[in-house]
Amino acid sequence: MTHIHTAKQHPVEPVDPVDAVVVGAGFAGLYMLYRLRQLGLKARVFEAGDGVGGTWYWNRYPGARCDVESMQYSYSFSEELQQEWQWSERYPRQEEILRYMNHVADRFDLRSDIQFETRVTAATYHDDSGNWTVRTDRGDAVEARFFISAGGCLSAGRVPDIPGLDRFKGKWYHTGNWPHEEVDFTGQRVGVIGTGSSGIQAIPAIARQASQVVVFQRTPNFSIPAWNRPLPLEDQQAWKADYAEHRTKALSTRSGILYEYGQRAVPEVSEDERQQEYERRWKRGGANFVHAFNDLFINKQSNDSAAEFVRHKIRGTVKDPKVAELLAPTDHAIGTKRICVDTGYYETYNQPHVSLVDLRATPITGIVSNGIRTDAATYELDSIVFATGYDAVTGALDRIDICGLGGKALKEKWTAGPRTYLGIMTSGFPNLFFITGPGSPSILTNVVVAIEQHVDWIARCLQHMQSHSLGVVDAQTAAEDEWVLRVNQVAAGTLFPTTKSWYMGANIPGKPSVFLPFVGGFGNYRVICEEVISNGYKGFAFRPSRQSVSQ
Ligand code: N01
């Protein structure tokens, strides 16, 4: 597997000790910095890119757009911010989200504490001082009381090990590391490998430029139309009038998003009613579809009814019945891989210059100088787009050499899969916090909501330490063991583990098969986190240190 790195070598610059080092300047890092400053703490954010934005800085591929609606995919921490920012479409484009994040960085004057073009490479905890030493690819070595990972769940892109890529004479790209200059596919023959959310968004956009598009599909995915549209000012104003109320309501939902969560199970309604409900949701568009009934994630038969509805739509859209059959997923329950949301994806296959190669029938054998070779044919290409996904949830952490108490490496502790308490800390690594870490709802939610909840929780914990003159916090092993068990038990009660997906680490050869996020619902999870605080940070152990957290 090829990891994507853009690290550059820089001269070493002295960095003063700080209270906290934060990795990443995406949604999580920016808000964490804001909260740390509110606590009077000195923080340094290290960011590999040369600008803020995280996912939205790197994912500049054609068609990139969020699948959560604009009014919800944004920070709630500042009433002024949420009132003043205007979104232009129902679902925000990558450029617009990036503009929003730059606005946030400027509005709250965050840049002065962010060191760009710097990748954190190692972090070591010292038990005697209770501090971390954090090292970067620029040669920095900074001492910090707290080490906070805001590196993202889907930031470690992966290009599969297909032999011959180095011989390819054309250009190749990964959707998660797209060039900053415009890529123009006009008149080109473009091969796209991968049909997850990224591929499904990119393929229609690439097909608008390219003279020929060849899609290499191993596994088809379910996709629901976005029905994206401009967002009228009146609609935004109406939403903004009750913004705080909408945000509060979202906090108690399963995904931190105001979907219509169906209250009935599939067997409770007639076949007619079921079809009408699916049709209504299809016409409304978006991931709301998979919440039509309350048993779709736990009952395979119920799930089949939703899956069959979508397959029927695919067959009705794609004119070539053979292509339609290849695009209609039959190997997994709908929603157990992240549901895709598209604009004209299935329709794209009706265009004469777009073709689909079934890699199950004819696997790729290698990349040659002029294209991709399967065991049946060679496809001549000018460019190759890898929409091949990420080493999800743990990938960004894995790329940093993190050593905790007694010099134990995090990688070693997590050999059989990640172990955390609440997805926020892992025992034996004091003062290391994860924002949307493994074992939390993270990528099953509106991730901005999940980020804010974690950042607020961490900030409250730090405030508690300040006011009680405490210097070190760690998760207790027993609490962690119980939490890991709970995460696994909740997942086992659903259809999720029946599917080989990146949620299970299944897309990375050799990665342990563990269900990575907490699937018990964001609302429930948030209540658990609140209870932990009201029970005196139950499951966490604190101790003073020679130097308590600065007041
Ligand atoms: O990645 P993926 P993604 N040969 O892992 C295929 C978020 N996101 O970047 O399933 C051939 O889902 C692989 O095939 P298979 C969202 O959470 C959100 O698309 O392994 N094919 C699969 O088809 C999403 O879920 C948004 O058989 C290979 C594809 O590559 C997550 O990011 C937009 C292969 C990878 O799909 C990841 O999505 C984009 C190989 N060797 C992303 N290796 C929105 O907000 C892999 N594949 C809309």
Side-chain angles (χ1 to χ4, degrees), residues 56 59 61 64-68 154 158 160-162 174-175 193-201 216-221 337-341 359-360 364 387-390 443 500 502-503 506-507:
W56 303 104
N59 278 264
Y61 61 85
R65 189 181 287 285
C66 184
D67 58 4
V68 178
L154 294 161
R158 68 175 287 269
D161 276 335
I162 301 176
H174 185 277
T175 49
I193 304 179
T195 49
S197 298
S198 304
I200 280 177
Q201 285 189 330
F216 296 87
Q217 173 186 273
R218 194 163 62 184
T219 315
N221 264 298
K337 281 189 174 189
R338 166 77 170 236
I339 191 82
C340 302
V341 176
L359 297 182
R360 299 258 175 221
I364 293 177
T388 43
Y390 298 87
I443 28 116
K500 284 189 176 163
W502 59 255
Y503 293 144
N507 62 330

Side-chain angles (χ1 to χ4, degrees), residues 338-357:
R338 166 77 170 236
I339 191 82
C340 302
V341 176
D342 72 277
T343 297
Y345 175 63
Y346 295 115
E347 291 83 348
T348 300
Y349 291 92
N350 293 333
Q351 299 179 41
H353 69 299
V354 179
S355 57
L356 183 66
V357 175

